[in-house]
Amino acid sequence: MNEDGRKPTIGDVARLAGVSPMTVSRVINDSERVRPETRAKVEVVIAQIGYAPDPAARILARAGAGRIGLLYANPSNAYLAEVLAGALSGARAAGLLLMIEPSQAGDPAAERLAVSRLAAGGAQGLIVPPPLGESTATLDAIARAGLRAVVLAAPGRSADVVSLRVDDEAAAREMVEHLIALGHRRIGFIEGRGDQSASAERRRGAEQAVAATPDASLTVAAGDFTYRSGLEAARHLLTQTPRPSAIFASNDDMASGALAAVHGAGLDAPGDISIAGFDDTYIAANSWPTLTTIRQPAADMAHEAAIRLARPGEPPEPAPHRLIVRDSTGPAPG
């Protein structure tokens, strides 16, 4: 037992061992994808705190009868690739079958139909990445079907809906503080979709960092988390007088679009203008220049979501974010 009387959880093991919950799951399930020294460290912590996997989940895994669903309608293929990889890994670790169902955000009938298909297919719980995790139609359909759900990057609505997310406000504040430390004072910000709480929280974090610096300013342009919206928003920001010396986009897709706008205007990044993103998807490491971004561990969160569906009852813990500094940001011009 922990000091507060709780049974040790997989999250406790991960925190004390300094690894991700995904790594702990791999150790528990004898995966070969764990280095010997990491396995030994995790096993020591398991022994010290007396963690024991849920026996019911073990039985379910052996039976091979458990099914969970992944419901998606996200326009970012890069983000979805991370989520899918993590969900598949987590389902495999828990001995569950993962079913995947597309939906159409903003179309209540399509959202309800997608949930019904997963329920009819035998799904006992759902992983719901944004934007559907904040859709009333989707959440109501999940409740009516009597399913449990784990929503990613969104607040949980009830006891049957667990939330796994980073602290978007703190992460955005840290990014803008990084830009300010580089000497940037005129900062452009490309906001995400208005129906996702992460958009408002990231804007709020950016505004907090600027407010704490007397000579700094923030110019906000609308986006919707797509490459095209980032391109158009950055083109708008570049028309400002004086123009921003740095642009922070609310995800990597929009930051990639902003890079294209900068290059299209005959400017250099980061020589003339710095660009930063959010998520750390494969786009960030493969763009030119490589993107400075906030790492949101989407794959780890999706893996943990699958584990939570197999082992309900463990309280959620905030996912860790990390500032990743690459080539797209540099000192302010002059």
Side-chain angles (χ1 to χ4, degrees):
M1 287 285 185
N2 287 314
E3 293 181 358
D4 58 4
R6 291 188 300 110
K7 290 183 178 180
T9 68
I10 196 169
D12 296 328
V13 177
R15 184 174 59 256
L16 294 172
V19 300
S20 70
M22 181 186 293
T23 298
V24 177
S25 293
R26 287 172 178 164
V27 171
I28 293 169
N29 290 281
D30 299 321
S31 170
E32 297 178 356
R33 298 174 59 191
V34 183
R35 290 179 297 181
E37 58 270 27
T38 301
R39 181 183 300 277
K41 182 165 58 174
V42 171
E43 289 175 343
V44 166
V45 172
I46 288 174
Q48 287 176 341
I49 69 173
Y51 171 73
D54 186 344
R58 291 282 193 177
I59 294 170
L60 182 62
R62 285 196 298 270
R67 295 185 179 189
I68 59 174
L70 173 65
L71 188 65
Y72 73 90
N74 194 295
S76 172
N77 289 331
Y79 179 79
L80 277 176
E82 296 281 328
V83 169
L84 180 57
L88 285 169
S89 173
R92 187 182 305 115
L96 301 174
L97 174 66
L98 179 68
M99 301 186 298
I100 303 169
E101 183 68 32
S103 184
Q104 182 64 49
D107 183 340
E111 293 180 36
R112 289 191 292 267
L113 179 60
V115 173
S116 297
R117 285 176 174 169
L118 287 170
Q124 299 159 337
L126 303 183
I127 300 171
V128 190
L132 296 176
E134 296 183 76
S135 165
T136 298
T138 289
L139 294 175
D140 285 349
I142 290 171
R144 284 196 299 271
L147 300 175
R148 291 178 290 111
V150 178
V151 295
L152 306 181
R157 194 176 74 166
S158 67
D160 290 325
V161 179
V162 174
S163 168
L164 295 178
R165 64 191 312 196
V166 299
D167 187 334
D168 289 284
E169 186 175 299
R173 184 169 61 246
E174 184 176 351
M175 176 60 81
V176 175
E177 287 171 349
H178 166 69
L179 295 174
I180 289 173
L182 289 172
H184 297 282
R185 293 298 181 270
R186 299 185 308 277
I187 299 171
F189 178 73
I190 304 178
E191 196 169 21
R193 289 173 55 125
D195 60 354
Q196 292 182 233
S197 60
S199 299
E201 291 177 14
R202 291 172 193 178
R203 175 174 177 169
R204 188 159 54 244
E207 290 173 336
Q208 289 171 355
V210 166
T213 306
D215 56 342
S217 64
L218 190 74
T219 302
V220 178
D224 62 9
F225 289 131
T226 63
Y227 171 92
R228 174 59 61 178
S229 72
L231 176 69
E232 296 299 335
R235 284 174 174 169
H236 170 72
L237 290 170
L238 292 177
T239 66
Q240 304 300 299
T241 304
R243 73 171 181 238
S245 65
I247 294 176
F248 172 31
S250 292
N251 77 343
D252 292 339
D253 287 61
M254 294 195 299
S256 181
L259 277 175
V262 168
H263 294 152
L267 300 172
D268 176 68
D272 296 311
I273 185 165
S274 289
I275 304 292
F278 200 111
D279 282 337
D280 197 28
T281 60
Y282 66 79
I283 287 176
N286 291 282
S287 63
W288 178 79
T290 54
L291 271 174
T292 292
T293 189
I294 292 291
R295 182 172 192 272
Q296 176 177 219
D300 285 352
M301 290 162 64
H303 177 102
E304 176 69 5
I307 299 299
R308 291 298 179 99
L309 290 173
R311 303 165 187 162
E314 296 186 5
E317 299 175 2
H321 71 267
R322 185 157 60 96
L323 173 65
I324 306 294
V325 179
R326 294 194 178 98
D327 299 333
S328 66
T329 54

